[in-house]
Amino acid sequence: MKKIIILFLFVAFGSLNAMAEPISNHAQRTLIVYFSQPEEVKLEGVDGVSGASILQKNNQILGSTQYLAQVIQRHTGGELFRIETVIAYPTQHEPLLRYAEQELRDNRHPELKAKIDNLADYDRIFIGYSIWWYKMPMPVYSFLQQHDLSGKILIPFTSHGGSRFSDSLREIKRLQPDAQLITQGLAISREDVADESTVTRVSDWLNQLANVQQ
Amino acid sequence: MRKKYQCQVMLDVVMVSILLSLMGFHLWSEYVHEWLGAVFFLMVVLHVSWNIHWIQALFQGEYSTFRILQLSINVLLMLLFLSAAISGIMLSRHILPNFIMHNSSDLVRKIHMTSIHWGLVVIALHLGVHWKMLANFFCKIWHISPDSVLVRRILPALLGMVSGYGLYAFIHRGILPYLLLQVDFAFFDFEESKLLVYWDFFAIMMFGAYLTRYLIWLTIFRPQ
C-alpha cells in the first residue's frame, strides 16, 4: 500500500511539474545568434529600402538578417550574438557569390572570431542566416560544429533571395541532433524585409511559436 | 510494328523520367543533377537523330496550320534546350568545375531557371502535338480498340482529373514567376517527399499536353 501511495505521489508531482513547465517558458532565457553579410548596394536614401542583402531603416544601414535579429531581440528581450569570421567576406555581390561558391566547393569552414562560453545561460536560441547557394553560409556550419546545443530549443529565421530555408533545416538537424529544432521558422524575402509589416509579421510569428511550445 | 519505333517510344519514356528528376534539383545531389543533365543531353541528340527524317522532310510538301504549329514548337524547344544546356555547362560545379566558360553569376542562373521552366512548358506542348501518334501506338501495343469505352470515356476523364491537378500544382508551386524571370534563387522544399515532386511535375506536363491536344482538336481538326 505504501508503495502505491508513493507511486501515486510520484505521478501526481510529475504531472504538476509538467503542468508548470509552460509557465516557466515565459521566463526562457533567450539568445539570438545570426550571421549577416551586408552587400554594398546603393540605396536611394529614402527610408525602408532593401537591396541584395542590405536595408536602410531609420537612417541606419543594416544587413537584412541583422535587422530581423534586432526586431526579434526587441520582442523577446534576448541577447544578440553576431557570428563573425576572422577573414572578412567580399562586400560586392558577384565577388561574394563566387567566393561563397569556392568555399562551398572546397568545403571550407571558416574560423570564427568568437565563441559563446555561457551557453548554459540560455534555453532558447534563435539562429538567423541568409541562404548561399541553397545552403547555410559556411560560418553557420562552423558555429554549429563548435557549439553543443543539446537540449536547447532552436528557432531558425532567414532573409532569403527566393530559396526560403532550402536544405538548412535538415543540416541543422544533422549537426545538432539533440537540440529541439522548431521547423516553423521565419522566412522573409529580402525584398520585403524593409516593409513596415515586417515588425508585425515577426511578432505574429513569435506569438504563434509561444502557442506551439505550450 | 517496327522495332525502331518501339525503341523510340521507350527512349521518350526514359527521357520524361529523367526530365522529372532534373526538375527536382534537390531530390538527388547536385552531382547527380549534373550527370543526369548530361545524360539527358545525349538522349536529346539520340531522339533528334532517330527522327532525322522529320528534318529531311522539312522542305518538302505543303504547310498546313498543324504542320506550322508543330515546326514552331520544335524550333522553340530546340532553342530553349540549347540555352538550358549552355547555361547548365556554365554553372557546372562537378563535371566541368574549371571550365573556361564557368560563370555562376545571377544572370546565368536566371537564364538556366527560366529556360528549363519554359522548356517544361514547351515539352508539354511538343507532347500534345504528338499525342494522337502516341495514343495510337499505345492502343496498338496494348491491343485496345480506339473506339472502346476505355479510350472514349474512362481515359479522358482520368486525364482530365490529372490535368486539373496539374493546373493546381502549377499554381501551388509558383511556376509562373519562373517563366516571367522574377525568381533570383529557386525554392526547393527539402522536407517534401520525392514522389510528390515527380507526381506534381508529371501532372503539370500532362496538363500542358492534354490542353494542347484538346485545343488542336478544337481549332484545327474539328472544323474540317
Side-chain angles (χ1 to χ4, degrees):
Chain A
M1 191 60 200
K2 219 176 181 179
K3 264 186 189 168
I4 293 173
I5 292 172
I6 290 171
L7 197 70
F8 174 77
L9 286 176
F10 244 104
V11 173
F13 274 106
S15 51
L16 268 181
N17 241 354
M19 274 156 64
E21 237 164 19
I23 298 160
S24 70
N25 259 348
H26 290 295
Q28 267 173 352
R29 297 156 306 169
T30 304
L31 178 69
I32 302 139
V33 176
Y34 68 95
F35 173 75
S36 192
Q37 173 62 32
E39 292 163 19
E40 268 172 33
V41 190
K42 272 204 177 143
L43 300 173
E44 294 130 35
V46 262
D47 229 24
V49 196
S50 69
S53 64
I54 191 173
L55 67 97
Q56 183 167 338
K57 203 79 188 167
N58 308 323
N59 290 319
Q60 248 190 319
I61 304 277
L62 297 165
S64 303
T65 312
Q66 182 179 26
Y67 172 68
L68 283 184
Q70 289 184 1
V71 177
I72 293 170
Q73 196 261 340
R74 253 181 279 144
H75 278 91
T76 58
E79 278 171 58
L80 282 173
F81 178 82
R82 181 175 188 169
I83 301 174
E84 283 178 287
T85 49
V86 174
I87 300 166
Y89 281 88
T91 49
Q92 304 283 338
H93 182 67
E94 296 283 340
L96 179 63
L97 265 185
R98 280 200 299 275
Y99 187 90
E101 188 189 21
Q102 192 60 44
E103 194 180 54
L104 195 65
R105 203 198 287 173
D106 301 342
N107 199 22
R108 255 187 288 141
H109 294 173
E111 200 186 325
L112 303 184
K113 270 189 187 167
K115 209 179 158 193
I116 303 172
D117 297 318
N118 58 335
L119 267 180
D121 294 351
Y122 307 102
D123 308 310
R124 187 164 71 149
I125 299 173
F126 287 86
I127 181 158
Y129 44 84
S130 43
I131 294 286
W132 287 356
W133 291 113
Y134 307 111
K135 291 202 164 289
M136 286 187 290
M138 282 303 191
V140 184
Y141 279 82
S142 304
F143 175 83
L144 289 173
Q145 274 167 347
Q146 287 169 17
H147 296 82
D148 179 12
L149 307 178
S150 304
K152 316 266 181 212
I153 299 169
L154 270 185
I155 310 166
F157 63 97
T158 182
S159 62
H160 61 92
S163 33
R164 289 174 251 182
F165 281 112
S166 210
D167 80 332
S168 62
L169 300 185
R170 215 167 55 167
E171 289 291 88
I172 294 176
K173 263 183 226 162
R174 184 174 67 81
L175 292 165
Q176 295 288 342
D178 298 323
Q180 187 196 336
L181 179 68
I182 303 290
T183 47
Q184 297 98 323
L186 178 76
I188 296 187
S189 163
R190 63 188 183 200
E191 311 285 329
D192 305 333
V193 172
D195 293 356
E196 290 305 322
S197 61
T198 297
V199 179
T200 348
R201 266 184 80 177
V202 171
S203 66
D204 287 350
W205 169 65
L206 288 169
N207 288 335
Q208 268 172 17
L209 279 187
N211 291 334
V212 168
Q213 282 174 43
Q214 271 169 28
Chain B
M1 184 169 308
R2 283 181 305 155
K3 261 257 144 38
K4 187 187 162 193
Y5 189 57
Q6 285 179 353
C7 289
Q8 277 178 310
V9 175
M10 242 149 66
L11 176 75
D12 295 349
V13 172
V14 175
M15 280 172 81
V16 168
S17 57
I18 291 181
L19 181 77
L20 296 177
S21 310
L22 285 171
M23 293 312 292
F25 169 83
H26 59 308
L27 296 182
W28 315 103
S29 67
E30 210 172 276
Y31 179 77
V32 174
H33 181 81
E34 289 188 13
W35 275 109
L36 279 179
V39 170
F40 193 73
F41 181 86
L42 292 177
M43 288 189 154
V44 170
V45 173
L46 199 62
H47 178 94
V48 172
S49 52
W50 259 348
N51 291 298
I52 199 80
H53 55 88
W54 183 83
I55 295 170
Q56 284 163 344
L58 271 184
F59 299 102
Q60 293 158 16
E62 279 183 32
Y63 269 83
S64 62
T65 321
F66 181 69
R67 203 174 164 199
I68 293 169
L69 180 75
Q70 197 184 38
L71 179 65
S72 5
I73 286 174
N74 289 356
V75 169
L76 187 61
L77 184 54
M78 211 58 224
L79 291 175
L80 284 169
F81 179 72
L82 283 176
S83 120
I86 292 168
S87 56
I89 290 167
M90 289 167 84
L91 287 168
S92 168
R93 276 202 275 251
H94 302 279
I95 302 185
L96 298 164
N98 300 312
F99 193 51
I100 191 151
M101 257 162 63
H102 182 84
N103 184 335
S104 50
S105 64
D106 284 344
L107 180 69
V108 179
R109 206 178 52 245
K110 262 190 166 171
I111 290 173
H112 192 67
M113 286 191 294
T114 310
S115 43
I116 57 129
H117 282 93
W118 272 112
L120 182 78
V121 171
V122 180
I123 283 172
L125 301 184
H126 179 77
L127 202 65
V129 165
H130 294 90
W131 190 278
K132 194 79 195 145
M133 207 170 97
L134 286 165
N136 286 340
F137 169 80
F138 285 112
C139 277
K140 254 185 212 157
I141 59 161
W142 285 329
H143 304 291
I144 308 165
S145 155
D147 293 317
S148 63
V149 185
L150 182 70
V151 175
R152 295 219 146 264
R153 295 269 175 270
I154 301 175
L155 276 181
L158 220 62
L159 282 162
M161 280 193 281
V162 174
S163 300
Y165 178 80
L167 176 63
Y168 161 79
F170 182 87
I171 297 165
H172 184 71
R173 286 194 176 265
I175 305 293
L176 195 63
Y178 287 98
L179 300 178
L180 303 176
L181 273 154
Q182 283 175 347
V183 179
D184 284 328
F185 280 94
F187 169 63
F188 305 109
D189 186 354
F190 285 79
E191 309 286 310
E192 72 184 336
S193 84
K194 283 189 170 83
L195 211 62
L196 188 71
V197 179
Y198 276 97
W199 165 242
D200 275 15
F201 280 105
F202 177 75
I204 291 172
M205 260 175 84
M206 278 298 133
F207 167 65
Y210 203 52
L211 185 69
T212 308
R213 167 72 204 138
Y214 183 71
L215 290 177
I216 287 172
W217 173 78
L218 207 65
T219 55
I220 299 177
F221 290 118
R222 202 177 61 145
Q224 285 171 5

